[in-house]
Amino acid sequence: MLYRKWGTEKDPVLWYTSSYQDDTEILEQVKLVMKAHVVELFLSGYISREACRILIQGINAFKEIGKNYEDIHEALEDHLLKFAGDFGGMVGFGRSRNDHVATALRLKMREELISLLEELLQLRGTLIRRAQDETTTLFPSFTHFQPAQPTSFGHYLLYVEEELAQRWEMIFSALRLVNRSPLGSGAVVGTSVALNREREANILGFEGVITNTISATSSRADLISASMEVGVLMLVLSRVAEDLILLSSKLTNIIQLPDEHVSTSSLMPQKRNAVTMEILRAKTSEVLGALMTLSSIYKSLPSGYNLDLQEMNPEYWAILSEARKAVYILHDLLSKLRVRDPKLDVETLSTDEAESRVKGDVSYRTAYFEVAKSLREGSFRPSLTFEDSLARKAVKGSPNPSKMRESIMEVKNRLETHERVLNEYKNLILKGIGELRSMEDDILQEGS
């Protein structure tokens, strides 16, 4: 213990309130934030180059969090006091655990969101490529999980891609909100130490600063918002998983899942259970539970830092971890599944048949009732085929093969735009971090 001088290492209050185990998730980010703080103290004239060099060496030497500390921040500062002597005593100057943990959390969330966005881009690319190959592969569509109208498997895949593209844009927007720096805000109202917050933000690759120091140190709204957007992504993935479970059942027998995504029964050897998709559904519920935990902890906290915020941290990483695994698993499955002969119900051509009869004095409702009567009597005989049904679709975004080709060109362009935007944003982040690394190298080399 460094800050709290009462009690002992066996004090139940310490082990009850300590976050040292959970803090291992942000160890590297905390070290990076401390480097930015030390470099800023040097650039602002508060410590010497020699002190800065030794402190950076000490930060690099910090490898693990001892269990007798309240958190990683206390452990790191105590390590620097022991490593650097009097120089170590300066790292607390103009610094609070409140602004440092807020900054580290945003760095971690930034990394997690970028990784998720990259994996979504890969999945979407696979969906587009398969959609091109499956433009004319007949496939059922459903409403109320009753057969609706004929479509193509490529059309279904482009539906999934569009859902993911929209979620990608929302998560990227959340990333930009997250990528703002709280550093230099102290405990709640800033500090009398004249730190250059914009410079600190720049060398950590942030897009800017969170201006108000109360918000900077105690708000978690951006992290919650990002987590919720990831939660909506999981809702989308879970619906797709549900489709794949139902359509791969022998009751429908429309698709065949890859062998590695199914499991048999210990008693019934004929079973091909869609186990990976079942787990994805369950994990979505866990993510929703984590979102409820975040909301429930956060909703009643007074402004300013409260230790309750510490208990939210594991939930962020659980949500992001499950989302990334879900995207990976779904990507693997969708790249390998096979569409069987769907044996489409001829009655699903009834809408096309009614539309084809509209002419002159025959309104759609008249044609509709005529077709409905033939369906009831069992005499329905359509004048067109399933392929005709696709080809007759006249609206943008439909399964008409020519409309599909137009859609594929559009979604390809959108995907390329998203890839370019993300790469440009990553480069901006890397440029800032690169400046910090360059300064670190210069300072370390001078003392070698």
mmCIF file of all heavy atoms in Angstrom, residues 83-129:
data_model
loop_
_atom_site.group_PDB
_atom_site.id
_atom_site.type_symbol
_atom_site.label_atom_id
_atom_site.label_comp_id
_atom_site.label_asym_id
_atom_site.label_seq_id
_atom_site.Cartn_x
_atom_site.Cartn_y
_atom_site.Cartn_z
ATOM 1 N N PHE A 83 12.436 2.419 -7.933
ATOM 2 C CA PHE A 83 13.358 2.344 -9.064
ATOM 3 C C PHE A 83 14.149 3.637 -9.244
ATOM 4 O O PHE A 83 15.353 3.606 -9.520
ATOM 5 C CB PHE A 83 12.567 2.055 -10.347
ATOM 6 C CG PHE A 83 13.421 1.815 -11.563
ATOM 7 C CD1 PHE A 83 13.774 0.529 -11.928
ATOM 8 C CD2 PHE A 83 13.886 2.876 -12.345
ATOM 9 C CE1 PHE A 83 14.561 0.293 -13.050
ATOM 10 C CE2 PHE A 83 14.672 2.654 -13.462
ATOM 11 C CZ PHE A 83 15.017 1.361 -13.820
ATOM 12 N N ALA A 84 13.471 4.776 -9.074
ATOM 13 C CA ALA A 84 14.082 6.059 -9.432
ATOM 14 C C ALA A 84 14.332 6.984 -8.245
ATOM 15 O O ALA A 84 14.773 8.123 -8.443
ATOM 16 C CB ALA A 84 13.199 6.765 -10.465
ATOM 17 N N GLY A 85 14.037 6.534 -7.036
ATOM 18 C CA GLY A 85 14.299 7.356 -5.868
ATOM 19 C C GLY A 85 13.516 8.658 -5.906
ATOM 20 O O GLY A 85 12.307 8.664 -6.161
ATOM 21 N N ASP A 86 14.201 9.786 -5.656
ATOM 22 C CA ASP A 86 13.535 11.090 -5.606
ATOM 23 C C ASP A 86 12.847 11.441 -6.918
ATOM 24 O O ASP A 86 11.816 12.118 -6.931
ATOM 25 C CB ASP A 86 14.545 12.187 -5.246
ATOM 26 C CG ASP A 86 14.986 12.113 -3.787
ATOM 27 O OD1 ASP A 86 14.272 11.448 -2.998
ATOM 28 O OD2 ASP A 86 16.019 12.708 -3.447
ATOM 29 N N PHE A 87 13.434 11.003 -8.027
ATOM 30 C CA PHE A 87 12.780 11.264 -9.316
ATOM 31 C C PHE A 87 11.381 10.643 -9.352
ATOM 32 O O PHE A 87 10.452 11.210 -9.922
ATOM 33 C CB PHE A 87 13.608 10.696 -10.477
ATOM 34 C CG PHE A 87 14.898 11.413 -10.711
ATOM 35 C CD1 PHE A 87 15.984 10.747 -11.274
ATOM 36 C CD2 PHE A 87 15.061 12.753 -10.367
ATOM 37 C CE1 PHE A 87 17.186 11.403 -11.502
ATOM 38 C CE2 PHE A 87 16.260 13.416 -10.601
ATOM 39 C CZ PHE A 87 17.323 12.739 -11.164
ATOM 40 N N GLY A 88 11.255 9.465 -8.724
ATOM 41 C CA GLY A 88 9.960 8.792 -8.704
ATOM 42 C C GLY A 88 8.898 9.582 -7.970
ATOM 43 O O GLY A 88 7.706 9.446 -8.261
ATOM 44 N N GLY A 89 9.321 10.404 -7.043
ATOM 45 C CA GLY A 89 8.372 11.218 -6.292
ATOM 46 C C GLY A 89 7.697 12.296 -7.114
ATOM 47 O O GLY A 89 6.716 12.898 -6.670
ATOM 48 N N MET A 90 8.183 12.534 -8.334
ATOM 49 C CA MET A 90 7.610 13.580 -9.172
ATOM 50 C C MET A 90 6.463 13.099 -10.052
ATOM 51 O O MET A 90 5.741 13.914 -10.621
ATOM 52 C CB MET A 90 8.695 14.198 -10.065
ATOM 53 C CG MET A 90 9.613 15.156 -9.312
ATOM 54 S SD MET A 90 8.734 16.576 -8.628
ATOM 55 C CE MET A 90 8.286 17.479 -10.121
ATOM 56 N N VAL A 91 6.265 11.779 -10.161
ATOM 57 C CA VAL A 91 5.212 11.319 -11.076
ATOM 58 C C VAL A 91 3.819 11.644 -10.548
ATOM 59 O O VAL A 91 2.849 11.668 -11.316
ATOM 60 C CB VAL A 91 5.331 9.809 -11.385
ATOM 61 C CG1 VAL A 91 6.637 9.504 -12.090
ATOM 62 C CG2 VAL A 91 5.146 8.959 -10.138
ATOM 63 N N GLY A 92 3.701 11.894 -9.254
ATOM 64 C CA GLY A 92 2.410 12.286 -8.696
ATOM 65 C C GLY A 92 2.103 13.757 -8.876
ATOM 66 O O GLY A 92 1.002 14.211 -8.534
ATOM 67 N N PHE A 93 3.047 14.509 -9.435
ATOM 68 C CA PHE A 93 2.889 15.954 -9.621
ATOM 69 C C PHE A 93 1.958 16.218 -10.809
ATOM 70 O O PHE A 93 2.230 15.820 -11.936
ATOM 71 C CB PHE A 93 4.276 16.575 -9.879
ATOM 72 C CG PHE A 93 4.308 18.078 -9.818
ATOM 73 C CD1 PHE A 93 3.799 18.769 -8.725
ATOM 74 C CD2 PHE A 93 4.877 18.811 -10.857
ATOM 75 C CE1 PHE A 93 3.860 20.149 -8.663
ATOM 76 C CE2 PHE A 93 4.945 20.188 -10.798
ATOM 77 C CZ PHE A 93 4.426 20.851 -9.710
ATOM 78 N N GLY A 94 0.820 16.850 -10.555
ATOM 79 C CA GLY A 94 -0.149 17.130 -11.610
ATOM 80 C C GLY A 94 -0.893 15.896 -12.101
ATOM 81 O O GLY A 94 -1.502 15.925 -13.170
ATOM 82 N N ARG A 95 -0.837 14.819 -11.335
ATOM 83 C CA ARG A 95 -1.438 13.555 -11.763
ATOM 84 C C ARG A 95 -2.403 13.037 -10.721
ATOM 85 O O ARG A 95 -2.168 13.140 -9.526
ATOM 86 C CB ARG A 95 -0.339 12.512 -11.977
ATOM 87 C CG ARG A 95 -0.830 11.058 -12.039
ATOM 88 C CD ARG A 95 0.335 10.084 -12.014
ATOM 89 N NE ARG A 95 -0.116 8.698 -11.862
ATOM 90 C CZ ARG A 95 -0.226 8.072 -10.705
ATOM 91 N NH1 ARG A 95 0.080 8.702 -9.583
ATOM 92 N NH2 ARG A 95 -0.641 6.809 -10.659
ATOM 93 N N SER A 96 -3.482 12.464 -11.179
ATOM 94 C CA SER A 96 -4.412 11.738 -10.320
ATOM 95 C C SER A 96 -4.677 10.376 -10.949
ATOM 96 O O SER A 96 -4.609 10.220 -12.176
ATOM 97 C CB SER A 96 -5.730 12.501 -10.181
ATOM 98 O OG SER A 96 -6.728 11.680 -9.588
ATOM 99 N N ARG A 97 -4.992 9.421 -10.115
ATOM 100 C CA ARG A 97 -5.419 8.141 -10.673
ATOM 101 C C ARG A 97 -6.691 8.312 -11.512
ATOM 102 O O ARG A 97 -6.923 7.562 -12.447
ATOM 103 C CB ARG A 97 -5.681 7.133 -9.541
ATOM 104 C CG ARG A 97 -4.409 6.624 -8.875
ATOM 105 C CD ARG A 97 -4.711 5.584 -7.812
ATOM 106 N NE ARG A 97 -5.308 6.165 -6.615
ATOM 107 C CZ ARG A 97 -5.618 5.471 -5.510
ATOM 108 N NH1 ARG A 97 -5.415 4.155 -5.485
ATOM 109 N NH2 ARG A 97 -6.132 6.061 -4.461
ATOM 110 N N ASN A 98 -7.469 9.344 -11.174
ATOM 111 C CA ASN A 98 -8.744 9.524 -11.865
ATOM 112 C C ASN A 98 -8.567 9.843 -13.348
ATOM 113 O O ASN A 98 -9.222 9.250 -14.211
ATOM 114 C CB ASN A 98 -9.557 10.633 -11.191
ATOM 115 C CG ASN A 98 -9.936 10.289 -9.760
ATOM 116 O OD1 ASN A 98 -9.687 9.185 -9.298
ATOM 117 N ND2 ASN A 98 -10.527 11.238 -9.068
ATOM 118 N N ASP A 99 -7.694 10.806 -13.655
ATOM 119 C CA ASP A 99 -7.522 11.132 -15.078
ATOM 120 C C ASP A 99 -6.674 10.070 -15.780
ATOM 121 O O ASP A 99 -6.858 9.821 -16.978
ATOM 122 C CB ASP A 99 -6.944 12.540 -15.276
ATOM 123 C CG ASP A 99 -5.518 12.702 -14.786
ATOM 124 O OD1 ASP A 99 -5.162 12.088 -13.765
ATOM 125 O OD2 ASP A 99 -4.755 13.471 -15.411
ATOM 126 N N HIS A 100 -5.786 9.422 -15.036
ATOM 127 C CA HIS A 100 -4.930 8.419 -15.667
ATOM 128 C C HIS A 100 -5.712 7.159 -16.029
ATOM 129 O O HIS A 100 -5.526 6.591 -17.110
ATOM 130 C CB HIS A 100 -3.735 8.087 -14.772
ATOM 131 C CG HIS A 100 -2.594 9.016 -14.984
ATOM 132 N ND1 HIS A 100 -1.307 8.610 -15.227
ATOM 133 C CD2 HIS A 100 -2.550 10.375 -15.022
ATOM 134 C CE1 HIS A 100 -0.518 9.659 -15.400
ATOM 135 N NE2 HIS A 100 -1.253 10.748 -15.272
ATOM 136 N N VAL A 101 -6.607 6.711 -15.143
ATOM 137 C CA VAL A 101 -7.372 5.513 -15.473
ATOM 138 C C VAL A 101 -8.373 5.819 -16.587
ATOM 139 O O VAL A 101 -8.603 4.995 -17.482
ATOM 140 C CB VAL A 101 -8.078 4.911 -14.244
ATOM 141 C CG1 VAL A 101 -9.238 5.778 -13.763
ATOM 142 C CG2 VAL A 101 -8.565 3.493 -14.559
ATOM 143 N N ALA A 102 -8.956 7.003 -16.567
ATOM 144 C CA ALA A 102 -9.895 7.375 -17.633
ATOM 145 C C ALA A 102 -9.192 7.357 -18.988
ATOM 146 O O ALA A 102 -9.768 6.926 -20.000
ATOM 147 C CB ALA A 102 -10.492 8.750 -17.360
ATOM 148 N N THR A 103 -7.936 7.806 -19.012
ATOM 149 C CA THR A 103 -7.174 7.815 -20.262
ATOM 150 C C THR A 103 -6.817 6.404 -20.697
ATOM 151 O O THR A 103 -6.950 6.046 -21.875
ATOM 152 C CB THR A 103 -5.895 8.655 -20.093
ATOM 153 O OG1 THR A 103 -6.243 9.951 -19.574
ATOM 154 C CG2 THR A 103 -5.170 8.821 -21.417
ATOM 155 N N ALA A 104 -6.363 5.589 -19.766
ATOM 156 C CA ALA A 104 -5.993 4.209 -20.098
ATOM 157 C C ALA A 104 -7.188 3.420 -20.613
ATOM 158 O O ALA A 104 -7.076 2.630 -21.559
ATOM 159 C CB ALA A 104 -5.387 3.524 -18.876
ATOM 160 N N LEU A 105 -8.350 3.625 -19.997
ATOM 161 C CA LEU A 105 -9.555 2.926 -20.447
ATOM 162 C C LEU A 105 -9.904 3.299 -21.884
ATOM 163 O O LEU A 105 -10.309 2.449 -22.684
ATOM 164 C CB LEU A 105 -10.728 3.254 -19.523
ATOM 165 C CG LEU A 105 -10.668 2.663 -18.112
ATOM 166 C CD1 LEU A 105 -11.792 3.231 -17.248
ATOM 167 C CD2 LEU A 105 -10.754 1.141 -18.146
ATOM 168 N N ARG A 106 -9.742 4.558 -22.221
ATOM 169 C CA ARG A 106 -10.048 4.994 -23.585
ATOM 170 C C ARG A 106 -9.025 4.428 -24.578
ATOM 171 O O ARG A 106 -9.389 4.071 -25.705
ATOM 172 C CB ARG A 106 -10.109 6.522 -23.654
ATOM 173 C CG ARG A 106 -11.385 7.084 -23.028
ATOM 174 C CD ARG A 106 -11.383 8.597 -22.928
ATOM 175 N NE ARG A 106 -12.628 9.066 -22.352
ATOM 176 C CZ ARG A 106 -13.709 9.445 -23.040
ATOM 177 N NH1 ARG A 106 -13.667 9.426 -24.369
ATOM 178 N NH2 ARG A 106 -14.805 9.849 -22.434
ATOM 179 N N LEU A 107 -7.770 4.342 -24.177
ATOM 180 C CA LEU A 107 -6.776 3.723 -25.054
ATOM 181 C C LEU A 107 -7.105 2.256 -25.303
ATOM 182 O O LEU A 107 -7.011 1.771 -26.443
ATOM 183 C CB LEU A 107 -5.377 3.844 -24.428
ATOM 184 C CG LEU A 107 -4.743 5.233 -24.392
ATOM 185 C CD1 LEU A 107 -3.421 5.183 -23.637
ATOM 186 C CD2 LEU A 107 -4.528 5.779 -25.798
ATOM 187 N N LYS A 108 -7.486 1.558 -24.242
ATOM 188 C CA LYS A 108 -7.846 0.139 -24.382
ATOM 189 C C LYS A 108 -9.095 -0.032 -25.242
ATOM 190 O O LYS A 108 -9.137 -0.883 -26.143
ATOM 191 C CB LYS A 108 -8.067 -0.460 -22.988
ATOM 192 C CG LYS A 108 -8.612 -1.882 -22.972
ATOM 193 C CD LYS A 108 -7.583 -2.903 -23.378
ATOM 194 C CE LYS A 108 -8.107 -4.317 -23.129
ATOM 195 N NZ LYS A 108 -7.152 -5.348 -23.570
ATOM 196 N N MET A 109 -10.102 0.781 -24.970
ATOM 197 C CA MET A 109 -11.330 0.693 -25.750
ATOM 198 C C MET A 109 -11.056 1.015 -27.217
ATOM 199 O O MET A 109 -11.611 0.386 -28.120
ATOM 200 C CB MET A 109 -12.392 1.641 -25.185
ATOM 201 C CG MET A 109 -13.720 1.615 -25.937
ATOM 202 S SD MET A 109 -14.585 0.022 -25.873
ATOM 203 C CE MET A 109 -15.364 0.125 -24.263
ATOM 204 N N ARG A 110 -10.184 1.990 -27.465
ATOM 205 C CA ARG A 110 -9.818 2.336 -28.838
ATOM 206 C C ARG A 110 -9.218 1.132 -29.562
ATOM 207 O O ARG A 110 -9.601 0.822 -30.698
ATOM 208 C CB ARG A 110 -8.812 3.494 -28.817
ATOM 209 C CG ARG A 110 -8.377 3.983 -30.179
ATOM 210 C CD ARG A 110 -7.468 5.192 -30.049
ATOM 211 N NE ARG A 110 -6.120 4.846 -29.616
ATOM 212 C CZ ARG A 110 -5.175 5.742 -29.305
ATOM 213 N NH1 ARG A 110 -5.455 7.038 -29.355
ATOM 214 N NH2 ARG A 110 -3.984 5.341 -28.934
ATOM 215 N N GLU A 111 -8.303 0.442 -28.923
ATOM 216 C CA GLU A 111 -7.669 -0.731 -29.525
ATOM 217 C C GLU A 111 -8.702 -1.822 -29.809
ATOM 218 O O GLU A 111 -8.691 -2.446 -30.881
ATOM 219 C CB GLU A 111 -6.584 -1.275 -28.593
ATOM 220 C CG GLU A 111 -5.387 -0.360 -28.429
ATOM 221 C CD GLU A 111 -4.394 -0.906 -27.416
ATOM 222 O OE1 GLU A 111 -4.540 -2.079 -27.020
ATOM 223 O OE2 GLU A 111 -3.487 -0.159 -27.018
ATOM 224 N N GLU A 112 -9.586 -2.055 -28.848
ATOM 225 C CA GLU A 112 -10.589 -3.110 -28.997
ATOM 226 C C GLU A 112 -11.563 -2.787 -30.128
ATOM 227 O O GLU A 112 -11.924 -3.662 -30.926
ATOM 228 C CB GLU A 112 -11.349 -3.296 -27.685
ATOM 229 C CG GLU A 112 -10.509 -3.856 -26.545
ATOM 230 C CD GLU A 112 -10.129 -5.309 -26.763
ATOM 231 O OE1 GLU A 112 -10.883 -6.032 -27.455
ATOM 232 O OE2 GLU A 112 -9.087 -5.737 -26.254
ATOM 233 N N LEU A 113 -12.003 -1.541 -30.203
ATOM 234 C CA LEU A 113 -12.952 -1.159 -31.246
ATOM 235 C C LEU A 113 -12.318 -1.243 -32.628
ATOM 236 O O LEU A 113 -12.959 -1.697 -33.588
ATOM 237 C CB LEU A 113 -13.471 0.261 -30.995
ATOM 238 C CG LEU A 113 -14.370 0.448 -29.766
ATOM 239 C CD1 LEU A 113 -14.725 1.926 -29.595
ATOM 240 C CD2 LEU A 113 -15.638 -0.389 -29.863
ATOM 241 N N ILE A 114 -11.073 -0.820 -32.747
ATOM 242 C CA ILE A 114 -10.394 -0.902 -34.047
ATOM 243 C C ILE A 114 -10.255 -2.352 -34.483
ATOM 244 O O ILE A 114 -10.503 -2.691 -35.648
ATOM 245 C CB ILE A 114 -9.028 -0.196 -33.989
ATOM 246 C CG1 ILE A 114 -9.225 1.326 -33.930
ATOM 247 C CG2 ILE A 114 -8.169 -0.561 -35.200
ATOM 248 C CD1 ILE A 114 -7.949 2.119 -33.724
ATOM 249 N N SER A 115 -9.893 -3.232 -33.569
ATOM 250 C CA SER A 115 -9.784 -4.651 -33.911
ATOM 251 C C SER A 115 -11.122 -5.213 -34.356
ATOM 252 O O SER A 115 -11.203 -5.971 -35.334
ATOM 253 C CB SER A 115 -9.260 -5.446 -32.706
ATOM 254 O OG SER A 115 -7.930 -5.085 -32.401
ATOM 255 N N LEU A 116 -12.185 -4.839 -33.657
ATOM 256 C CA LEU A 116 -13.519 -5.311 -34.029
ATOM 257 C C LEU A 116 -13.923 -4.780 -35.404
ATOM 258 O O LEU A 116 -14.459 -5.516 -36.236
ATOM 259 C CB LEU A 116 -14.535 -4.873 -32.973
ATOM 260 C CG LEU A 116 -15.995 -5.248 -33.237
ATOM 261 C CD1 LEU A 116 -16.175 -6.758 -33.362
ATOM 262 C CD2 LEU A 116 -16.903 -4.689 -32.136
ATOM 263 N N LEU A 117 -13.652 -3.511 -35.659
ATOM 264 C CA LEU A 117 -13.981 -2.917 -36.960
ATOM 265 C C LEU A 117 -13.223 -3.610 -38.085
ATOM 266 O O LEU A 117 -13.776 -3.849 -39.174
ATOM 267 C CB LEU A 117 -13.670 -1.421 -36.947
ATOM 268 C CG LEU A 117 -14.608 -0.550 -36.099
ATOM 269 C CD1 LEU A 117 -14.043 0.851 -35.953
ATOM 270 C CD2 LEU A 117 -16.009 -0.501 -36.687
ATOM 271 N N GLU A 118 -11.971 -3.946 -37.838
ATOM 272 C CA GLU A 118 -11.182 -4.649 -38.855
ATOM 273 C C GLU A 118 -11.764 -6.029 -39.145
ATOM 274 O O GLU A 118 -11.850 -6.450 -40.312
ATOM 275 C CB GLU A 118 -9.726 -4.769 -38.394
ATOM 276 C CG GLU A 118 -8.983 -3.438 -38.399
ATOM 277 C CD GLU A 118 -7.579 -3.550 -37.834
ATOM 278 O OE1 GLU A 118 -7.353 -4.400 -36.939
ATOM 279 O OE2 GLU A 118 -6.710 -2.783 -38.269
ATOM 280 N N GLU A 119 -12.170 -6.736 -38.102
ATOM 281 C CA GLU A 119 -12.730 -8.070 -38.307
ATOM 282 C C GLU A 119 -14.088 -8.010 -39.014
ATOM 283 O O GLU A 119 -14.418 -8.879 -39.826
ATOM 284 C CB GLU A 119 -12.831 -8.788 -36.957
ATOM 285 C CG GLU A 119 -11.452 -9.140 -36.390
ATOM 286 C CD GLU A 119 -11.502 -9.690 -34.983
ATOM 287 O OE1 GLU A 119 -12.598 -10.103 -34.563
ATOM 288 O OE2 GLU A 119 -10.457 -9.714 -34.313
ATOM 289 N N LEU A 120 -14.850 -6.973 -38.737
ATOM 290 C CA LEU A 120 -16.117 -6.793 -39.440
ATOM 291 C C LEU A 120 -15.881 -6.524 -40.925
ATOM 292 O O LEU A 120 -16.644 -6.996 -41.780
ATOM 293 C CB LEU A 120 -16.909 -5.641 -38.820
ATOM 294 C CG LEU A 120 -17.676 -5.963 -37.531
ATOM 295 C CD1 LEU A 120 -18.238 -4.686 -36.926
ATOM 296 C CD2 LEU A 120 -18.793 -6.963 -37.799
ATOM 297 N N LEU A 121 -14.849 -5.759 -41.240
ATOM 298 C CA LEU A 121 -14.523 -5.511 -42.645
ATOM 299 C C LEU A 121 -14.208 -6.822 -43.367
ATOM 300 O O LEU A 121 -14.635 -7.037 -44.511
ATOM 301 C CB LEU A 121 -13.336 -4.548 -42.757
ATOM 302 C CG LEU A 121 -13.585 -3.090 -42.368
ATOM 303 C CD1 LEU A 121 -12.271 -2.309 -42.387
ATOM 304 C CD2 LEU A 121 -14.599 -2.432 -43.300
ATOM 305 N N GLN A 122 -13.464 -7.702 -42.714
ATOM 306 C CA GLN A 122 -13.128 -8.989 -43.332
ATOM 307 C C GLN A 122 -14.379 -9.837 -43.556
ATOM 308 O O GLN A 122 -14.547 -10.451 -44.627
ATOM 309 C CB GLN A 122 -12.127 -9.733 -42.444
ATOM 310 C CG GLN A 122 -10.776 -9.051 -42.351
ATOM 311 C CD GLN A 122 -9.863 -9.723 -41.341
ATOM 312 O OE1 GLN A 122 -10.059 -10.879 -40.977
ATOM 313 N NE2 GLN A 122 -8.857 -9.004 -40.869
ATOM 314 N N LEU A 123 -15.252 -9.875 -42.562
ATOM 315 C CA LEU A 123 -16.503 -10.633 -42.700
ATOM 316 C C LEU A 123 -17.343 -10.067 -43.834
ATOM 317 O O LEU A 123 -17.882 -10.816 -44.658
ATOM 318 C CB LEU A 123 -17.277 -10.596 -41.381
ATOM 319 C CG LEU A 123 -18.721 -11.131 -41.403
ATOM 320 C CD1 LEU A 123 -18.782 -12.542 -41.971
ATOM 321 C CD2 LEU A 123 -19.328 -11.072 -40.005
ATOM 322 N N ARG A 124 -17.459 -8.758 -43.884
ATOM 323 C CA ARG A 124 -18.277 -8.137 -44.936
ATOM 324 C C ARG A 124 -17.698 -8.424 -46.323
ATOM 325 O O ARG A 124 -18.447 -8.640 -47.285
ATOM 326 C CB ARG A 124 -18.383 -6.635 -44.680
ATOM 327 C CG ARG A 124 -19.271 -6.291 -43.481
ATOM 328 C CD ARG A 124 -19.128 -4.842 -43.074
ATOM 329 N NE ARG A 124 -19.394 -3.956 -44.205
ATOM 330 C CZ ARG A 124 -19.000 -2.691 -44.264
ATOM 331 N NH1 ARG A 124 -18.306 -2.167 -43.258
ATOM 332 N NH2 ARG A 124 -19.288 -1.955 -45.314
ATOM 333 N N GLY A 125 -16.377 -8.431 -46.434
ATOM 334 C CA GLY A 125 -15.755 -8.764 -47.715
ATOM 335 C C GLY A 125 -16.116 -10.170 -48.163
ATOM 336 O O GLY A 125 -16.408 -10.403 -49.348
ATOM 337 N N THR A 126 -16.114 -11.103 -47.236
ATOM 338 C CA THR A 126 -16.493 -12.479 -47.560
ATOM 339 C C THR A 126 -17.959 -12.566 -47.976
ATOM 340 O O THR A 126 -18.310 -13.275 -48.930
ATOM 341 C CB THR A 126 -16.234 -13.399 -46.347
ATOM 342 O OG1 THR A 126 -14.824 -13.437 -46.089
ATOM 343 C CG2 THR A 126 -16.739 -14.803 -46.600
ATOM 344 N N LEU A 127 -18.828 -11.835 -47.286
ATOM 345 C CA LEU A 127 -20.245 -11.839 -47.635
ATOM 346 C C LEU A 127 -20.471 -11.321 -49.056
ATOM 347 O O LEU A 127 -21.277 -11.877 -49.813
ATOM 348 C CB LEU A 127 -21.033 -10.980 -46.640
ATOM 349 C CG LEU A 127 -21.145 -11.526 -45.216
ATOM 350 C CD1 LEU A 127 -21.741 -10.479 -44.291
ATOM 351 C CD2 LEU A 127 -21.992 -12.797 -45.182
ATOM 352 N N ILE A 128 -19.756 -10.273 -49.416
ATOM 353 C CA ILE A 128 -19.915 -9.695 -50.756
ATOM 354 C C ILE A 128 -19.431 -10.678 -51.824
ATOM 355 O O ILE A 128 -20.094 -10.880 -52.857
ATOM 356 C CB ILE A 128 -19.162 -8.356 -50.855
ATOM 357 C CG1 ILE A 128 -19.806 -7.314 -49.932
ATOM 358 C CG2 ILE A 128 -19.149 -7.844 -52.299
ATOM 359 C CD1 ILE A 128 -18.981 -6.053 -49.746
ATOM 360 N N ARG A 129 -18.292 -11.290 -51.579
ATOM 361 C CA ARG A 129 -17.758 -12.244 -52.564
ATOM 362 C C ARG A 129 -18.700 -13.440 -52.738
ATOM 363 O O ARG A 129 -18.949 -13.892 -53.861
ATOM 364 C CB ARG A 129 -16.359 -12.706 -52.146
ATOM 365 C CG ARG A 129 -15.291 -11.620 -52.327
ATOM 366 C CD ARG A 129 -13.906 -12.179 -52.094
ATOM 367 N NE ARG A 129 -13.679 -12.539 -50.707
ATOM 368 C CZ ARG A 129 -13.257 -11.687 -49.772
ATOM 369 N NH1 ARG A 129 -13.028 -10.418 -50.066
ATOM 370 N NH2 ARG A 129 -13.057 -12.099 -48.526
#
